[in-house]
Amino acid sequence: GKGEPPLAEQVADAERRFKGRICGYVGFDPCVERRMMAGCDLLLMPSQFEPCGLPQMYAQMYGTLPVVHETGGLKDSVKGLWDDSHLDVATGFLFGGFNDGAMKHALYSALDTFHHRREVFKRMQNNAMRMSFYWPTAMDEYEKHVDWTFESWPARQPESWWQGHY
């Protein structure tokens, strides 16, 4: 979308000041979106609330690593690089707490990995490109959790709440 005009102007200003190093686009065009993602190394998506989110999924298909706020669908679809034990699954960088300090920390971590740990970054890109967001698979996983919930024994015995109230 277009977002807030003062922020859009800041993006345009950064693009003017750092010509060739920063590219900003305000608006929405699916063709432009996909071309930008295919040409980027990182996607910053600091949404405060995001029930699903598609851009982080599209980005991963192109090997663009998302830097996202740990919320909703962003948390579900991006596997964070918390430490080197997560190298086999990491597909991006997450931050908790919706504030500029947490976001900067995740962004600096992503940039540090890009500049100083290229093999780790490339491995994360490969992990991201192998991700599958095929809906029937997601639905199967959801149904499995619903089945587990209905098949499990309740925390309280059913009699405990009606005992003595009949």
Side-chain angles (χ1 to χ4, degrees):
K2 293 190 179 204
E4 298 176 27
L7 295 176
E9 184 51 42
Q10 286 179 359
V11 168
D13 182 54
E15 189 175 18
R16 282 189 296 274
R17 287 192 349 229
F18 302 101
K19 197 81 172 154
R21 297 190 66 199
I22 292 181
C23 174
Y25 179 81
V26 178
F28 180 75
D29 178 331
C31 294
V32 172
E33 177 191 41
R34 299 246 167 78
R35 290 177 70 193
M36 283 175 53
M37 287 186 195
C40 292
D41 297 302
L42 296 166
L43 169 71
L44 178 60
M45 194 168 168
S47 303
Q48 185 170 8
F49 306 104
E50 190 66 60
C52 176
L54 295 175
Q56 80 282 2
M57 293 183 208
Y58 297 149
Q60 290 177 78
M61 291 185 333
Y62 293 110
T64 299
L65 301 184
V67 180
V68 300
H69 178 224
E70 193 174 8
T71 187
L74 301 178
K75 182 171 87 171
D76 294 340
S77 59
V78 178
K79 309 296 181 232
L81 178 66
W82 303 113
D83 56 47
D84 285 354
S85 69
H86 294 94
L87 285 178
D88 290 338
V89 296
T91 64
F93 303 87
L94 293 94
F95 62 92
F98 192 69
N99 61 68
D100 59 346
M103 183 181 77
K104 285 179 184 177
H105 179 76
L107 194 52
Y108 292 157
S109 178
L111 291 169
D112 181 68
T113 304
F114 177 81
H115 287 292
H116 303 292
R117 302 177 68 200
R118 289 299 287 181
E119 289 306 312
V120 169
F121 196 86
K122 288 178 184 176
R123 189 166 178 181
M124 291 175 69
Q125 287 178 305
N126 286 327
N127 293 344
M129 288 186 283
R130 283 195 307 271
M131 289 293 291
S132 172
F133 298 109
Y134 185 59
W135 282 112
T137 305
M139 291 180 339
D140 290 345
E141 186 68 20
Y142 177 79
E143 286 177 352
K144 183 170 64 175
H145 286 275
V146 169
D147 290 344
W148 287 343
T149 301
F150 284 125
E151 290 169 3
S152 67
W153 192 254
R156 294 187 336 192
Q157 297 295 326
E159 307 82 51
S160 66
W161 61 268
W162 77 63
Q163 206 165 20
H165 298 293
Y166 46 117

